[in-house]
Amino acid sequence: MDDCIFCKIVKGEIPSIKVYEDERVFAFEDINPISDGHTLIIPKAHAENIWEISEEDLAAIHIASKKIAVAIKKAINPDGIACLQLNGRAVNQVVMHYHFHLIPRLPGGPELMMTDWELKPGDMEKIKQIGEKISSGIE
Ligand code: 5GP
Ligand code: ZN
């Protein structure tokens, strides 16, 4: 896609700190890192979100995420790594080219805000109804 910033990164038209690349996938450091080692993994083929991306590219991203997580562990030995992926402007997806975040929490580093939600018991009847509705839509 011509005006997509991440397509430009894949083509080398915009510089990036690349950490990994294969046939389907490109991975690079986020320029606004939430923590050291904050890495983005993207498909080389433009797809906006989880509804558009091919299963093959999705699988390749997840396999790459394991390789990169192992390398992050060796490089900076985080206490944990959050995997995050946003779909749609309503959930603050900013770059409309699918990207999978790996966000390490460093030893002694602050809590990652997106991993720190309060557990409040839900309405079991409602949970069941929604679960059944989703389940019946699986193709
Ligand atoms: P989103 O909220 O869409 O999941 O996150 C988009 C991410 O892309 C942000 O963390 C942002 O810092 C990162 N980002 C946006 N533009 C660029 C860029 O030109 N280069 C790099 N390396 N990261 C970018
Ligand atoms: Zn793109």
Side-chain angles (χ1 to χ4, degrees), residues 2-131:
D2 286 349
D3 60 350
C4 170
I5 195 163
F6 283 1
C7 284
K8 288 185 178 163
I9 285 179
V10 170
K11 287 187 260 174
E13 292 170 9
I14 291 179
S16 68
I17 311 292
K18 181 176 93 172
V19 297
Y20 175 77
E21 179 177 14
D22 65 28
E23 211 175 84
R24 291 183 175 273
V25 165
F26 193 90
F28 54 102
E29 294 303 284
D30 197 297
I31 43 164
N32 305 292
I34 292 174
S35 60
D36 290 351
H38 182 170
T39 302
L40 301 174
I41 313 174
I42 67 174
K44 286 184 171 175
H46 181 88
E48 187 165 312
N49 54 38
I50 195 162
W51 298 289
E52 274 191 11
I53 191 169
S54 71
E55 289 186 357
E56 293 78 9
D57 281 353
L58 201 51
I61 284 172
H62 280 264
I63 291 166
S65 75
K66 165 96 176 176
K67 287 186 210 291
I68 297 164
V70 168
I72 290 174
K73 201 161 173 53
K74 276 198 276 183
I76 56 179
N77 196 28
D79 287 337
I81 299 178
C83 298
L84 180 73
Q85 193 272 311
L86 307 175
N87 299 282
R89 293 188 202 281
V91 294
N92 290 330
Q93 182 180 2
V94 173
V95 178
M96 306 315 275
H97 178 131
Y98 187 102
H99 50 282
F100 191 77
H101 295 259
L102 294 182
I103 308 169
R105 180 172 181 191
L106 304 172
E111 181 106 54
L112 300 174
M113 68 283 197
M114 80 293 288
T115 65
D116 186 25
W117 65 82
E118 194 186 340
L119 295 182
K120 285 195 226 154
D123 172 344
M124 282 317 292
E125 192 47 42
K126 191 174 172 201
I127 293 169
K128 185 167 167 273
Q129 276 173 17
I130 294 171

